[in-house]
Amino acid sequence: MLLKIENAQLEMLSAIVSKNRITIEDRLKNLATEKNISRLKKVTGFESFSIAEKGVCTSDFCAAAAEKIFNETEIKREEISAIIFVSQTSDYFLPSTAHVLQARLNLPRDIAAFDISLGCSGFVYGVYIAASLIQNLPGKILLLCGDTATRNIFSDDISCLSVFGDAGAAAVISKSFGQKIFFNLQSFGELADAIIMQRGAYRNSLLVKNNSVNVRENFVTMDGVAIMDFSVKFVPQNLMELLNFSDVKISEIDKFFLHQANKTILNTVAAMLNFPAEKVPFKSGKIGNTSSASIPVTLSEIKVKNSLSILSGFGVGMSIASALIDLKNLHCLPTGEI
């Protein structure tokens, strides 16, 4: 679905990762040979991972990112008219984490607050929803996103252990007359089994064996080959459709900020678009694939500015959400840690 939203901008961004970093060698100790670990590092680009410490949830990363904005910039809490929390690792089944964060961040009661359950495409979806809402709201929108996906990995699942990390981010979307953001949103639900947690919600309860729920079937499963095929088949097509819709040439784009799925996927997408690899930054080698936080983390690591860019999140769902956006007014704070 191709869309254009006017008079909205991405104004402020803050990303938070964990001070606790674990190398791929330590993470795969006793699970893979030194040769296989070296191969995985080369293919994925991931050398170490941001791992949430015990008791730290996605909301903690997001709250820290939001507090950084309120404490270090001129944006005031009373300016916020809505809070959107995008994550697949919320604090509770209910209530929504957005309401918990509204109180925790001491935001006004006169505010809209809700959660969105999305992963890799979640940040761009959040920007789309916020840009749509801002047209009819008096203030700014606080978009919070991220995941502590490492909590969903079984202890011997090399495919996930060699990819995922934890992080959270906060962004402020505000009105900006004359600005335009173009979007291309697509859903591929027939491929949903490529990344899935089959148990733990209401379709299938947790499986208990020997009085324990520490059973592989209760954790996430990922089909790496299917995800690679999906990414290289559909993401370049999605991005070209977006460029054609916005009437912008690929040569006019300063950078493509893609979901940090892994380095090979990013390089392959860049090659298929005939776009220089250096303009498709991979900045998560020491952080990991942090789901919906990965695009904000990349922007924060680069501290991007004055850039006509494409943001594209793709993965779990399966889904793709891309945006062509002028980041000239975006202020990125340095990446923080908790």
Side-chain angles (χ1 to χ4, degrees), residues 42-269:
K42 183 176 181 180
V43 170
T44 66
F46 297 122
E47 301 176 8
S48 60
F49 305 91
S50 163
I51 308 294
E53 295 187 326
K54 185 177 180 179
V56 174
C57 295
T58 305
S59 62
D60 298 313
F61 285 112
C62 292
E67 290 290 2
K68 193 173 176 68
I69 289 174
F70 294 132
N71 293 334
E72 298 182 17
T73 76
E74 296 181 357
I75 292 177
K76 306 300 182 186
R77 298 173 200 268
E78 55 267 26
E79 295 181 273
I80 304 300
S81 296
I83 178 171
I84 304 171
F85 179 73
V86 182
S87 180
Q88 294 181 136
T89 50
S90 56
D91 283 9
Y92 313 102
F93 273 126
L94 59 92
S96 70
T97 304
H99 290 93
V100 175
L101 286 166
Q102 174 265 327
R104 179 174 176 177
L105 294 170
N106 196 28
L107 296 176
R109 288 179 175 174
D110 186 18
I111 192 174
F114 56 93
D115 289 5
I116 300 172
S117 178
L118 279 170
C120 314
S121 60
F123 178 69
V124 179
Y125 258 105
V127 172
Y128 162 67
I129 292 167
S132 301
L133 286 176
I134 199 67
Q135 310 300 320
N136 297 306
L137 290 176
K140 304 174 188 285
I141 296 177
L142 180 64
L143 171 63
L144 305 176
C145 66
D147 269 307
T148 44
T150 63
R151 304 265 167 78
N152 296 328
I153 302 173
F154 193 62
S155 57
D156 68 357
D157 188 345
I158 293 174
S159 64
C160 290
L161 289 169
S162 60
V163 170
F164 290 111
D166 302 322
V172 175
I173 290 84
S174 58
K175 291 186 178 73
S176 180
F177 294 101
Q179 291 282 15
K180 299 176 184 178
I181 309 176
F182 298 89
F183 294 91
N184 192 5
L185 311 178
Q186 292 182 295
S187 297
F188 303 79
E190 69 275 13
L191 304 175
D193 286 351
I195 314 175
I196 192 168
M197 285 184 68
Q198 293 276 9
R199 294 183 173 273
Y202 298 107
R203 178 63 61 187
N204 298 302
S205 59
L206 289 174
L207 186 64
V208 180
K209 291 183 179 179
N210 299 320
N211 296 318
S212 174
V213 295
N214 188 30
V215 181
R216 192 182 188 97
E217 289 92 329
N218 293 333
F219 292 83
V220 68
T221 59
M222 181 176 71
D223 184 339
V225 173
I227 292 167
M228 181 70 179
D229 289 346
F230 167 81
S231 301
V232 300
K233 181 177 181 180
F234 294 112
V235 174
Q237 178 182 317
N238 175 282
L239 298 178
M240 289 308 301
E241 289 174 356
L242 178 61
L243 287 165
N244 291 335
F245 175 68
S246 59
D247 197 26
V248 172
K249 295 182 177 64
I250 196 168
S251 58
E252 298 177 66
I253 303 298
D254 184 59
K255 283 190 171 59
F256 282 74
F257 293 102
L258 305 185
H259 165 59
Q260 307 281 281
N262 68 50
K263 192 171 185 178
T264 295
I265 288 177
L266 267 65
N267 287 344
T268 303
V269 171

Side-chain angles (χ1 to χ4, degrees), residues 280-295:
V280 185
F282 179 75
K283 301 297 290 184
S284 295
K286 298 184 185 301
I287 297 169
N289 173 341
T290 55
S291 189
S292 62
S294 78
I295 293 174

